[in-house]
Amino acid sequence: MSDPVAFIENNTILKSPSLVPELRLHLADAALPLWEKTEEELAQVGLPPPYWAFAWAGGQALARHLIDRPELVAGKRVLDVASGSGVVALACLWASAAHVAANEIDGFALAAIQLNADANALGRGLELVGRDMLDEPTIDDTGVALWDVVLAGDVCYEKPMAERMTGWLRRHAAAGALVLMGDPGRTYRPTDGLEQLAEYSVPTSRDLEDSDIRRTVVWRVLPLTQR
Ligand SMILES: C[S@@+](CC[C@H](N)C(=O)[O-])C[C@H]1O[C@@H](n2cnc3c(N)ncnc32)[C@H](O)[C@@H]1O
């Protein structure tokens, strides 16, 4: 398998996501052939799908929301689960979060997040967590929530992942964390137990989505007790 850092540098360009001009990320460019390959072709050369090479509509809306309302994360301990390019995690650091853990199961995404942090001089306070956390506890030994804020951008596109993710996010909310999810109407978004906080029109690419603009909502995920 390729060296992730060299691979990312050779197959992306540094550019700003349309809704988040404050950040520059290593993202796919239509001019580079890698992004035309199918998932099967990528699997043959040992590569997972390059989710990290796009700032997804859910992540962009969440990042926009946090940069516009820095008080939600400033000085806080934040977890960005399924971080991808790190667009949400870096928005939190931009908004002066004290500590941000960016969680990913894809090693290429972890490398991309670090490169993107470096490109924006936002490495201070960033921790990379490279394991599946979705069955882990949400409180410490004394019963205190592990995180002040838990964030998830665009995570409801596959059923098993969306179900595990939603259950875990609700447990964080029950523990006392502020839990926010950015979602452009993906199939497996929960239909209840969410409170709408904001709505954005996110410009997207026809290569990725079925429309040029995705209406994308920032939801507060409620604990089971509030449903
Ligand atoms: C559609 S991308 C969203 C990335 C980013 N949040 C955004 O909005 O741009 C979903 C990401 O979830 C990651 N992922 C899938 N299952 C995961 C798990 N169990 N734990 C952490 N990340 C996971 C994938 O590797 C992928 O990068």
Side-chain angles (χ1 to χ4, degrees), residues 44-122:
Q44 276 169 17
V45 288
L47 291 173
Y51 289 110
W52 50 267
F54 303 91
W56 294 84
Q60 287 202 49
L62 201 45
R64 182 74 262 141
H65 191 69
L66 296 165
I67 287 177
D68 289 344
R69 291 167 188 73
E71 67 279 6
L72 292 174
V73 291
K76 306 263 173 74
R77 301 163 302 159
V78 181
L79 172 64
D80 174 32
V81 62
S83 195
S85 65
V87 61
V88 174
L90 296 180
C92 294
L93 290 165
W94 197 96
S96 302
H99 176 86
V100 178
N103 168 237
E104 256 296 339
I105 52 168
D106 178 354
F108 280 73
L110 293 167
I113 296 164
Q114 187 61 60
L115 284 173
N116 289 333
D118 295 344
N120 293 276
L122 285 172

Side-chain angles (χ1 to χ4, degrees), residues 189-212:
R189 175 181 68 71
T191 51
D192 62 351
L194 299 176
E195 176 193 349
Q196 180 168 337
L197 298 187
E199 186 182 320
Y200 299 87
S201 294
V202 185
T204 56
S205 147
R206 282 265 173 188
D207 298 336
L208 274 189
E209 307 278 7
D210 54 10
S211 62
D212 294 325

